[in-house]
Each structure stands twice: as structure tokens, then as C-alpha cells.
Amino acid sequence: MELSFGVRLLLVLAAALVAVIVGMVAGLLARWDGARVPACIMRGSAAFGVSMTLFVLVLTSLGAFV
């Protein structure tokens, strides 16, 4: 499956948007759990990094970046 550059870019941007939302939710959940702000930022950014990595791996395994 050969996708154009624009479609690949849209897939990466959609994955980044979902990863940002996941990171924000993780930070909010950490804050509601009583963690301090630096810990919330660290947990949110870790959740962003993990989810973005997983999204890119899934897109690669589906053949979107071949």
C-alpha cells in the first residue's frame, strides 16, 4: 500500500494529536491523585512519549510508512 506524502503526514499528525490528549489526561489524573505539578508534567510527558511510540509502531506495522 503506497500512500502519498500528504496522507502519511495526516496520519502522523492524527497520532500526535491523540498522544497529546493521552498525555493531558494522564497529567490530569495524576493531579487529581494528589501529585505535585512537576510529577504531573513528568507523567503526562511519559504517557505522550509511550503512546506516540506505540502509534508510530502500529502505523509502521500496517505498512503506512513503507
Side-chain angles (χ1 to χ4, degrees):
M1 169 170 75
E2 184 66 27
L3 298 175
S4 67
F5 178 73
V7 173
R8 290 180 188 173
L9 184 64
L10 285 175
L11 284 172
V12 170
L13 289 176
L17 178 64
V18 173
V20 165
I21 292 171
V22 167
M24 290 172 61
V25 169
L28 285 173
L29 288 176
R31 183 66 182 154
W32 287 338
D33 195 32
R36 293 185 178 264
V37 175
C40 297
I41 293 171
M42 189 170 13
R43 290 178 190 175
S45 60
F48 168 79
V50 168
S51 61
M52 188 66 191
T53 302
L54 289 176
F55 287 140
V56 168
L57 287 174
V58 167
L59 288 173
T60 302
S61 68
L62 290 175
F65 297 128
V66 176

